[in-house]
Amino acid sequence: MAALLLASTILLSPAVAFAQAAPESATDDGEIIVTAQKRNESIQKVPISLQALGTETLAQHQVTSLDDYAKLLPSVSFQTYGPSQSDISIRGVSTGGINLPGGSLPTVGVYLDEIPVSTIGAMLDVHAYDLARVEALSGPQGTLYGASSLAGTIRLITNKPKQGVFEGGYDLTVNKFGEGEAGGVAEAFLNVPLSDKTALRVVGFYQRDGGYIDNTPASRTFTLSDNDPTTNLTVNNAAEVKKNFNTIETYGGRLALGIDLDDNWTMTPTLIAQHQKSEGAFGFDPRVGDLQVHEYAPDRNLDKWYQAALTIEGKIGNFDLLYSGGYLQRSINNDQDYSYYTVYYDNITGYTNFPDGNGGFLDPSMRYHNEQRLTKQSHEIRLSSDQDNPFSFTAGLFIQRQSNRNLADYTIPGLGSIPNTPAVFGDDIFVTDTRIITRDYAAFGEVYYKITDALKLTGGIRVFRARNSLKGFSGFASNAAGSGCATPITRGSCVNVDKVYKENGETHKVSLSWQVDADRMVYATYSTGFRPGGNNRRPGINPYDADTIDNFEIGWKTAWLDRKLRLNGSIYHMKWKKLQYTLAPVGSAGVVNIYNSGDARINGAELDIQFRTGGLTLSGTGTFTDAKLSSAFCQINAAGNSDCTLGTVAAPKGARLTVQPKFKGTATARYDFDFGGRDSFVQGSMLRQGGAKNFLATADDLAVGRTTGFTTFDFSAGTKLGSISVEAFIQNAFDKRGILSRNTFCPATICGTVARSYPVKPQLFGLKVSQRF
């Protein structure tokens, strides 16, 4: 795909006119232009709940990653294990818990320009530089964005090549965590007209984040589950002790070429690549100490990906036609200390007793290693009519194929070399070696009818077909033997899972908007969303079904006081049916599967306000979310079936949903002024976030505990020295230990007492120098 894009660039460049510059993200009066409905519109005219962070806002808040922009989007929350290991949610559509590499699809669709980049269990954490804006669309967006937009959609829109303009810039940042390490960021972009026919935009970046969590000395004694104190084995973590050991290194770049095929047709091939390596744990253990852990094995995550994309836009008569296609290839290598699982198994007779054949015993401490090789290819073509007509429409076709070669090793070093080894492969006591292929096909359309000049009716539908296949092996040595495979097995030699899940369906939308006057609009929307079901990795466990959402929403977009004051908001009620949840059933020894866990209802309200006068800008956003189960979630029996006859329920009706706090809000005050003939500013921001539940099931919730509310403050000030901007900033100025989520690497009822707390960034000081030319 990459070769094809580059070849098309070379062949077409000499013979065509230069690509027209992409529309700017904002008008002269500061009004943001978005493409949330797959057409250029003012954000104030789009009848959906939508928040957009423009180029200036992203720069003013030093945004470089998901952690940074999620802080500015109150409807967005996420659960994480570290960089590029996050699951995001919008409006509280989340069940929390463990998300397996072969688990449920995300509830939030993520787009990089026109291309979907959502992946299972590990959101693509794109370095946020040279972006025109970040758009957050709240509520189901299934009509235009499809299966993984059950709760909403996040869109990262890059700046495009500009016609006839040579421009560039760089941003250099040095920073240091208050009690942690120093780091820095180097970023640059260049827009170069190659001729009067083409222009190239080149972006590059390098970022190193210093560490702030310490791995401190510790030891533990295993009984080896044999009730014989003479065989007790004591181990320590001396080899892994390190101060500030959670560091991140990220680098990559983007190439985009603008080509004008004629007066009406443009083409933009793009190539993006990113390499990220993180070391250490990013959650700390409060039992050990503030920002401290006891890790007994290396923790690291290596995430490498590239995406080749092509967008072609043009006109056929009075219709606009757009094709977008992309190919994403991603490689993830992850290592984690899994020994806290071993601590649990040490209480079960025989589970941790491994004679080494030399009169001693193996250290039973378990490690986890995961390799994922993901690909994602998508193609969309859509046709739009002139939106100025009384009747207009957008219609299109979509096809997507995703694959994941997933290898998960649960390893005890040396296990494969002992007599009578229980290893299933190498040193693995349990292994998952599967290939997952997901195919999606859809046809969609939205129609817009102007009943009057002020009243517009919108209707949309998407019909789809999904196919999910899973093939490979998952289990212990006993599972291999039960499948007729000799142990230890070799990669790909044993198959005990071969499943296919198919599904057809539709999702729809109806909306009525009233443009009261040029500055005020109200709307009412009914929309639906869906997330396909899929296959469980374990043999004999039934597939899980699709979950769906019905969304009822009323909203407003208004401007007052000669547009100095903007006040937007919405209130909504959502019904979430057959929600998908990851749970260890009774008698499963902690092996988790995915089940449909009943229904839920979510009520909420969103508010976005901004006031500008002179050099003063005051802005604030806030979300209230009340998300609860509307039916009981029954416990799962040993056969993997929902069973309320066990005498208990996993979670009762009325139980609160997870991850999203009841309230999350931000407020920013900024004053721009002239200081000695230099453009200068001071800025202060506040984030207030309530406490949240982390696991849906009652037993898991009690074992792990909930986060508590917190408030953080950021401050910055800067000035311009000619064409150079200098800015000093401090994030989390008072070093508040706000906890975003609490997670475990194994089932919460097993590892809940050692759950990790994932904090907001500790106090961070920084200095930034920028120039544009």
Coordinates of all heavy atoms in Angstrom, one line a residue, residues 298-363:
P298 N 11.0 -7.6 34.8 CA 11.0 -6.3 34.0 C 9.6 -6.0 33.5 O 8.8 -6.9 33.2 CB 11.9 -6.7 32.8 CG 12.8 -7.8 33.3 CD 11.9 -8.6 34.3
D299 N 9.3 -4.7 33.4 CA 8.0 -4.2 32.8 C 8.4 -3.4 31.7 O 9.2 -2.4 31.8 CB 7.2 -3.4 33.8 CG 6.7 -4.2 35.0 OD1 6.0 -5.2 34.7 OD2 7.0 -3.8 36.1
R300 N 7.9 -3.7 30.5 CA 8.3 -2.8 29.3 C 7.2 -3.0 28.3 O 6.5 -4.0 28.2 CB 9.6 -3.2 28.7 CG 9.8 -4.6 28.2 CD 11.1 -4.8 27.5 NE 12.2 -4.6 28.5 CZ 12.8 -5.5 29.2 NH1 12.4 -6.8 29.1 NH2 13.8 -5.3 30.0
N301 N 7.0 -2.0 27.4 CA 6.1 -2.0 26.3 C 6.7 -1.3 25.1 O 7.2 -0.2 25.2 CB 4.8 -1.3 26.7 CG 3.7 -1.6 25.7 OD1 3.2 -2.7 25.6 ND2 3.3 -0.6 24.9
L302 N 6.8 -2.1 24.0 CA 7.3 -1.5 22.8 C 6.2 -1.5 21.7 O 5.6 -2.6 21.4 CB 8.5 -2.4 22.3 CG 9.1 -2.0 20.9 CD1 9.7 -0.6 21.0 CD2 10.2 -3.0 20.5
D303 N 5.8 -0.3 21.3 CA 4.7 -0.2 20.3 C 5.2 0.5 19.1 O 5.6 1.7 19.2 CB 3.6 0.6 21.0 CG 2.3 0.7 20.2 OD1 2.3 0.1 19.1 OD2 1.4 1.3 20.7
K304 N 5.2 -0.2 18.0 CA 5.7 0.4 16.7 C 4.6 0.3 15.7 O 4.0 -0.8 15.5 CB 6.9 -0.3 16.2 CG 8.1 -0.3 17.1 CD 9.3 -1.0 16.5 CE 9.1 -2.5 16.4 NZ 10.3 -3.2 15.9
W305 N 4.3 1.4 14.9 CA 3.3 1.3 13.9 C 3.6 2.3 12.8 O 4.3 3.3 13.0 CB 1.9 1.6 14.5 CG 1.7 2.9 15.2 CD1 1.9 3.2 16.5 CD2 1.3 4.1 14.6 NE1 1.6 4.5 16.8 CE2 1.3 5.1 15.6 CE3 0.9 4.5 13.3 CZ2 0.9 6.4 15.3 CZ3 0.5 5.8 13.0 CH2 0.5 6.7 14.1
Y306 N 3.0 2.0 11.7 CA 2.9 3.0 10.6 C 1.6 2.8 9.9 O 0.9 1.8 9.9 CB 4.1 2.7 9.6 CG 3.9 1.6 8.6 CD1 3.2 1.7 7.4 CD2 4.4 0.3 8.9 CE1 3.0 0.7 6.5 CE2 4.3 -0.7 8.0 CZ 3.5 -0.6 6.9 OH 3.4 -1.6 6.0
Q307 N 1.2 3.9 9.2 CA 0.0 4.0 8.5 C 0.2 4.7 7.2 O 0.7 5.8 7.1 CB -1.1 4.7 9.2 CG -2.5 4.7 8.5 CD -3.5 5.7 9.0 OE1 -3.2 6.9 8.9 NE2 -4.5 5.3 9.6
A308 N -0.2 4.0 6.1 CA -0.2 4.6 4.8 C -1.7 4.9 4.4 O -2.5 4.0 4.6 CB 0.4 3.6 3.7
A309 N -1.9 6.1 4.0 CA -3.3 6.5 3.7 C -3.4 7.3 2.4 O -2.4 8.0 2.0 CB -3.9 7.3 4.9
L310 N -4.5 7.3 1.8 CA -4.8 8.0 0.6 C -6.2 8.6 0.6 O -7.1 7.9 0.8 CB -4.6 7.1 -0.7 CG -4.9 7.7 -2.0 CD1 -3.9 8.8 -2.3 CD2 -4.9 6.7 -3.1
T311 N -6.3 9.9 0.3 CA -7.6 10.5 0.2 C -7.7 11.2 -1.1 O -6.8 11.9 -1.5 CB -7.8 11.6 1.3 OG1 -7.6 11.0 2.6 CG2 -9.1 12.3 1.2
I312 N -8.8 11.0 -1.8 CA -9.0 11.6 -3.1 C -10.4 12.3 -3.0 O -11.4 11.7 -2.6 CB -9.1 10.6 -4.2 CG1 -7.7 9.8 -4.3 CG2 -9.4 11.2 -5.6 CD1 -7.7 8.7 -5.3
E313 N -10.4 13.6 -3.3 CA -11.6 14.4 -3.3 C -11.9 15.1 -4.6 O -10.9 15.5 -5.2 CB -11.5 15.4 -2.2 CG -11.3 14.9 -0.8 CD -11.1 16.0 0.2 OE1 -12.1 16.6 0.7 OE2 -9.9 16.3 0.6
G314 N -13.1 15.1 -5.0 CA -13.5 15.8 -6.2 C -15.0 16.0 -6.4 O -15.7 15.8 -5.5
K315 N -15.3 16.6 -7.5 CA -16.7 16.9 -7.8 C -17.1 16.1 -9.1 O -16.4 16.0 -10.0 CB -16.9 18.4 -8.0 CG -16.7 19.2 -6.8 CD -17.1 20.7 -7.0 CE -18.4 21.1 -6.6 NZ -19.0 20.7 -5.4
I316 N -18.4 15.6 -9.0 CA -19.0 15.0 -10.2 C -20.3 15.8 -10.3 O -21.3 15.6 -9.6 CB -19.3 13.5 -10.0 CG1 -18.0 12.8 -9.8 CG2 -20.1 13.0 -11.2 CD1 -18.2 11.3 -9.5
G317 N -20.3 16.7 -11.3 CA -21.4 17.6 -11.4 C -21.5 18.5 -10.1 O -20.6 19.1 -9.7
N318 N -22.7 18.4 -9.5 CA -22.9 19.2 -8.2 C -22.7 18.4 -7.0 O -23.0 18.8 -5.9 CB -24.3 19.8 -8.2 CG -24.5 20.8 -9.2 OD1 -23.6 21.6 -9.5 ND2 -25.7 20.9 -9.8
F319 N -22.1 17.2 -7.2 CA -21.9 16.3 -6.0 C -20.4 16.2 -5.7 O -19.5 16.3 -6.6 CB -22.4 14.9 -6.4 CG -23.9 14.8 -6.7 CD1 -24.3 14.8 -8.0 CD2 -24.8 14.7 -5.7 CE1 -25.7 14.8 -8.3 CE2 -26.1 14.7 -5.9 CZ -26.6 14.7 -7.3
D320 N -20.2 16.1 -4.4 CA -18.8 15.9 -3.9 C -18.5 14.4 -3.6 O -19.3 13.8 -3.0 CB -18.6 16.7 -2.6 CG -18.7 18.2 -2.7 OD1 -18.2 18.7 -3.7 OD2 -19.3 18.8 -1.8
L321 N -17.4 13.9 -4.1 CA -17.1 12.5 -4.0 C -15.8 12.4 -3.2 O -14.8 13.2 -3.5 CB -16.9 11.9 -5.3 CG -16.6 10.3 -5.3 CD1 -17.8 9.6 -4.8 CD2 -16.2 9.8 -6.7
L322 N -15.7 11.5 -2.3 CA -14.5 11.4 -1.5 C -14.2 9.9 -1.3 O -15.1 9.1 -1.0 CB -14.6 12.0 -0.1 CG -13.3 11.9 0.8 CD1 -13.2 13.2 1.6 CD2 -13.4 10.7 1.7
Y323 N -12.9 9.5 -1.6 CA -12.5 8.2 -1.3 C -11.3 8.3 -0.2 O -10.5 9.2 -0.3 CB -11.9 7.5 -2.5 CG -11.0 6.3 -2.1 CD1 -11.6 5.1 -1.8 CD2 -9.6 6.4 -2.1 CE1 -10.7 4.0 -1.4 CE2 -8.8 5.4 -1.7 CZ -9.4 4.2 -1.3 OH -8.6 3.1 -0.9
S324 N -11.4 7.4 0.8 CA -10.3 7.4 1.8 C -10.0 5.9 2.0 O -10.9 5.1 2.2 CB -10.7 8.1 3.1 OG -11.9 7.4 3.6
G325 N -8.7 5.6 1.9 CA -8.2 4.3 2.2 C -7.0 4.3 3.0 O -6.2 5.2 2.9
G326 N -6.8 3.3 3.9 CA -5.6 3.3 4.7 C -5.2 1.9 5.1 O -6.1 0.9 5.1
Y327 N -3.9 1.7 5.3 CA -3.4 0.4 5.8 C -2.5 0.7 7.0 O -1.6 1.5 6.9 CB -2.6 -0.2 4.7 CG -1.9 -1.5 5.2 CD1 -2.7 -2.7 5.3 CD2 -0.6 -1.6 5.6 CE1 -2.1 -3.9 5.7 CE2 0.0 -2.8 6.0 CZ -0.8 -3.9 6.1 OH -0.2 -5.1 6.5
L328 N -2.9 0.1 8.2 CA -2.2 0.3 9.4 C -1.5 -1.0 9.7 O -2.1 -2.1 9.7 CB -3.1 0.7 10.5 CG -2.6 0.7 11.9 CD1 -1.6 1.9 12.1 CD2 -3.7 0.8 13.0
Q329 N -0.2 -1.0 10.1 CA 0.5 -2.1 10.6 C 1.1 -1.8 11.9 O 1.8 -0.8 12.0 CB 1.6 -2.6 9.6 CG 2.3 -3.9 10.0 CD 3.1 -4.5 8.9 OE1 2.6 -4.8 7.8 NE2 4.4 -4.6 9.2
R330 N 0.8 -2.6 12.9 CA 1.3 -2.3 14.3 C 1.9 -3.5 14.9 O 1.4 -4.6 14.8 CB 0.0 -1.8 15.1 CG 0.4 -1.3 16.5 CD -0.9 -0.9 17.2 NE -0.6 -0.3 18.5 CZ -1.5 0.0 19.4 NH1 -2.8 -0.2 19.1 NH2 -1.2 0.6 20.5
S331 N 2.9 -3.3 15.7 CA 3.6 -4.4 16.4 C 3.7 -4.0 17.9 O 4.2 -2.9 18.2 CB 5.0 -4.6 15.8 OG 5.8 -5.4 16.7
I332 N 3.2 -4.8 18.8 CA 3.3 -4.6 20.2 C 4.0 -5.7 20.9 O 3.7 -6.9 20.7 CB 1.9 -4.5 20.8 CG1 1.1 -3.3 20.2 CG2 1.9 -4.3 22.3 CD1 -0.4 -3.3 20.6
N333 N 5.0 -5.4 21.7 CA 5.7 -6.4 22.5 C 5.6 -5.9 24.0 O 6.1 -4.8 24.3 CB 7.2 -6.5 22.1 CG 7.3 -7.3 20.8 OD1 7.4 -8.5 20.9 ND2 7.3 -6.6 19.7
N334 N 5.0 -6.7 24.8 CA 4.8 -6.3 26.2 C 5.2 -7.3 27.2 O 5.0 -8.5 27.0 CB 3.2 -6.0 26.4 CG 2.9 -5.6 27.8 OD1 2.5 -6.4 28.6 ND2 2.9 -4.3 28.0
D335 N 5.9 -6.8 28.2 CA 6.4 -7.7 29.3 C 5.9 -7.1 30.7 O 6.0 -5.9 30.9 CB 7.9 -7.8 29.4 CG 8.5 -8.6 28.2 OD1 8.3 -9.8 28.2 OD2 9.0 -7.9 27.3
Q336 N 5.4 -8.0 31.5 CA 4.9 -7.6 32.8 C 5.2 -8.6 33.9 O 5.3 -9.8 33.7 CB 3.3 -7.4 32.8 CG 2.8 -6.4 31.8 CD 1.3 -6.5 31.7 OE1 0.6 -7.2 32.5 NE2 0.8 -5.7 30.7
D337 N 5.4 -8.1 35.1 CA 5.6 -8.9 36.3 C 4.2 -9.5 36.6 O 3.3 -8.8 36.9 CB 6.1 -8.1 37.4 CG 6.3 -8.9 38.7 OD1 6.1 -10.1 38.7 OD2 6.6 -8.3 39.8
Y338 N 4.1 -10.8 36.6 CA 2.9 -11.5 36.8 C 2.9 -12.3 38.1 O 2.1 -13.2 38.3 CB 2.5 -12.4 35.6 CG 1.1 -12.5 35.3 CD1 0.4 -11.4 34.8 CD2 0.4 -13.7 35.4 CE1 -1.0 -11.5 34.5 CE2 -1.0 -13.8 35.0 CZ -1.6 -12.7 34.6 OH -3.0 -12.7 34.3
S339 N 3.9 -12.0 39.0 CA 4.2 -12.9 40.1 C 3.1 -12.7 41.2 O 3.0 -13.6 42.1 CB 5.6 -12.6 40.7 OG 5.7 -11.2 41.1
Y340 N 2.3 -11.7 41.2 CA 1.3 -11.6 42.2 C 0.2 -12.6 42.0 O -0.5 -13.0 42.9 CB 0.7 -10.1 42.2 CG 1.7 -9.1 42.8 CD1 2.5 -8.4 42.0 CD2 1.8 -9.0 44.2 CE1 3.4 -7.5 42.5 CE2 2.8 -8.1 44.7 CZ 3.6 -7.4 43.8 OH 4.5 -6.5 44.4
Y341 N 0.1 -13.1 40.8 CA -0.8 -14.2 40.5 C -0.2 -15.5 41.2 O -1.0 -16.3 41.8 CB -0.9 -14.4 39.0 CG -2.2 -14.9 38.4 CD1 -2.6 -14.5 37.2 CD2 -3.0 -15.8 39.1 CE1 -3.8 -14.8 36.6 CE2 -4.2 -16.2 38.6 CZ -4.6 -15.7 37.3 OH -5.8 -16.1 36.8
T342 N 1.1 -15.6 41.1 CA 1.8 -16.7 41.8 C 1.5 -16.7 43.3 O 1.3 -17.8 43.9 CB 3.3 -16.7 41.5 OG1 3.5 -16.6 40.1 CG2 3.9 -18.0 42.0
V343 N 1.5 -15.6 43.9 CA 1.3 -15.4 45.3 C -0.1 -16.1 45.7 O -0.2 -16.8 46.7 CB 1.3 -14.0 45.8 CG1 0.9 -13.8 47.2 CG2 2.8 -13.4 45.6
Y344 N -1.1 -15.8 44.8 CA -2.4 -16.4 45.0 C -2.3 -17.9 44.9 O -2.9 -18.7 45.7 CB -3.4 -15.8 44.0 CG -4.7 -16.6 43.9 CD1 -5.7 -16.4 44.9 CD2 -4.9 -17.4 42.9 CE1 -6.9 -17.2 44.8 CE2 -6.1 -18.1 42.8 CZ -7.1 -18.0 43.7 OH -8.2 -18.7 43.6
Y345 N -1.7 -18.4 43.8 CA -1.7 -19.8 43.5 C -0.8 -20.6 44.6 O -1.0 -21.8 44.8 CB -1.1 -20.1 42.2 CG -2.1 -20.0 41.0 CD1 -1.8 -19.1 39.9 CD2 -3.2 -20.7 41.0 CE1 -2.7 -19.0 38.9 CE2 -4.2 -20.6 40.0 CZ -3.9 -19.7 38.9 OH -4.8 -19.6 37.9
D346 N 0.0 -19.9 45.3 CA 0.8 -20.5 46.3 C 0.0 -21.1 47.5 O 0.4 -21.9 48.3 CB 1.8 -19.5 46.9 CG 3.0 -20.2 47.6 OD1 3.4 -21.2 47.2 OD2 3.4 -19.6 48.7
N347 N -1.3 -20.6 47.5 CA -2.2 -21.1 48.6 C -3.0 -22.4 48.1 O -3.8 -22.9 48.9 CB -3.2 -20.0 49.0 CG -2.5 -18.8 49.6 OD1 -1.6 -19.0 50.5 ND2 -2.8 -17.6 49.1
I348 N -2.8 -22.8 46.9 CA -3.5 -24.0 46.3 C -2.5 -25.1 46.2 O -1.5 -25.0 45.5 CB -4.1 -23.6 45.0 CG1 -5.0 -22.4 45.1 CG2 -4.9 -24.8 44.5 CD1 -5.6 -21.9 43.8
T349 N -2.8 -26.2 46.8 CA -1.9 -27.3 46.9 C -1.4 -27.8 45.5 O -2.2 -28.0 44.6 CB -2.5 -28.5 47.6 OG1 -2.9 -28.1 48.9 CG2 -1.6 -29.7 47.7
G350 N -0.1 -27.8 45.3 CA 0.5 -28.3 44.1 C 0.7 -27.3 43.0 O 1.4 -27.6 42.0
Y351 N 0.2 -26.1 43.1 CA 0.2 -25.2 42.0 C 1.6 -24.5 41.8 O 1.9 -24.1 40.7 CB -0.9 -24.1 42.2 CG -2.2 -24.4 41.5 CD1 -3.0 -25.5 41.9 CD2 -2.6 -23.7 40.4 CE1 -4.2 -25.8 41.3 CE2 -3.8 -23.9 39.8 CZ -4.6 -25.0 40.2 OH -5.8 -25.3 39.6
T352 N 2.4 -24.4 42.9 CA 3.6 -23.7 42.7 C 4.8 -24.6 43.1 O 5.9 -24.1 43.3 CB 3.6 -22.5 43.7 OG1 3.4 -22.9 45.0 CG2 2.6 -21.5 43.2
N353 N 4.6 -25.9 43.1 CA 5.7 -26.8 43.5 C 6.3 -27.5 42.3 O 5.7 -28.3 41.7 CB 5.1 -27.9 44.5 CG 6.2 -28.7 45.2 OD1 6.8 -29.5 44.6 ND2 6.3 -28.4 46.5
F354 N 7.5 -27.0 42.0 CA 8.2 -27.5 40.7 C 9.6 -27.9 41.1 O 10.5 -27.1 41.1 CB 8.2 -26.4 39.7 CG 6.9 -25.8 39.3 CD1 6.6 -24.5 39.6 CD2 5.9 -26.6 38.7 CE1 5.3 -23.9 39.3 CE2 4.7 -26.1 38.4 CZ 4.4 -24.7 38.7
P355 N 9.8 -29.2 41.5 CA 11.2 -29.7 41.7 C 12.0 -29.6 40.5 O 11.6 -29.9 39.4 CB 10.9 -31.2 42.1 CG 9.5 -31.3 42.5 CD 8.8 -30.2 41.7
D356 N 13.3 -29.1 40.7 CA 14.1 -28.8 39.5 C 15.0 -30.0 39.1 O 15.8 -29.9 38.2 CB 15.0 -27.6 39.8 CG 16.0 -27.8 41.0 OD1 16.1 -29.0 41.5 OD2 16.6 -26.8 41.4
G357 N 14.8 -31.2 39.8 CA 15.6 -32.4 39.5 C 17.0 -32.4 40.1 O 17.7 -33.4 40.0
N358 N 17.3 -31.4 40.9 CA 18.7 -31.3 41.5 C 18.5 -31.1 43.0 O 19.4 -30.6 43.7 CB 19.5 -30.1 40.9 CG 19.7 -30.3 39.4 OD1 20.1 -31.4 39.0 ND2 19.5 -29.2 38.7
G359 N 17.4 -31.5 43.5 CA 17.2 -31.4 45.0 C 16.6 -30.1 45.4 O 16.4 -29.8 46.6
G360 N 16.4 -29.2 44.5 CA 15.8 -27.9 44.8 C 14.5 -27.7 44.1 O 13.9 -28.6 43.5
F361 N 14.1 -26.4 44.1 CA 12.8 -26.1 43.5 C 12.9 -24.8 42.7 O 13.7 -23.9 43.0 CB 11.7 -25.9 44.6 CG 11.4 -27.1 45.4 CD1 12.1 -27.4 46.5 CD2 10.4 -27.9 45.0 CE1 11.9 -28.5 47.2 CE2 10.1 -29.1 45.7 CZ 10.8 -29.4 46.8
L362 N 12.1 -24.7 41.6 CA 12.1 -23.5 40.8 C 11.5 -22.3 41.6 O 10.6 -22.5 42.4 CB 11.3 -23.7 39.5 CG 11.9 -24.5 38.4 CD1 10.9 -24.5 37.2 CD2 13.3 -24.0 38.0
D363 N 12.0 -21.1 41.3 CA 11.2 -19.9 41.7 C 10.0 -19.9 40.9 O 10.0 -19.8 39.7 CB 12.1 -18.7 41.5 CG 11.4 -17.4 41.8 OD1 10.2 -17.4 42.1 OD2 12.0 -16.3 41.6

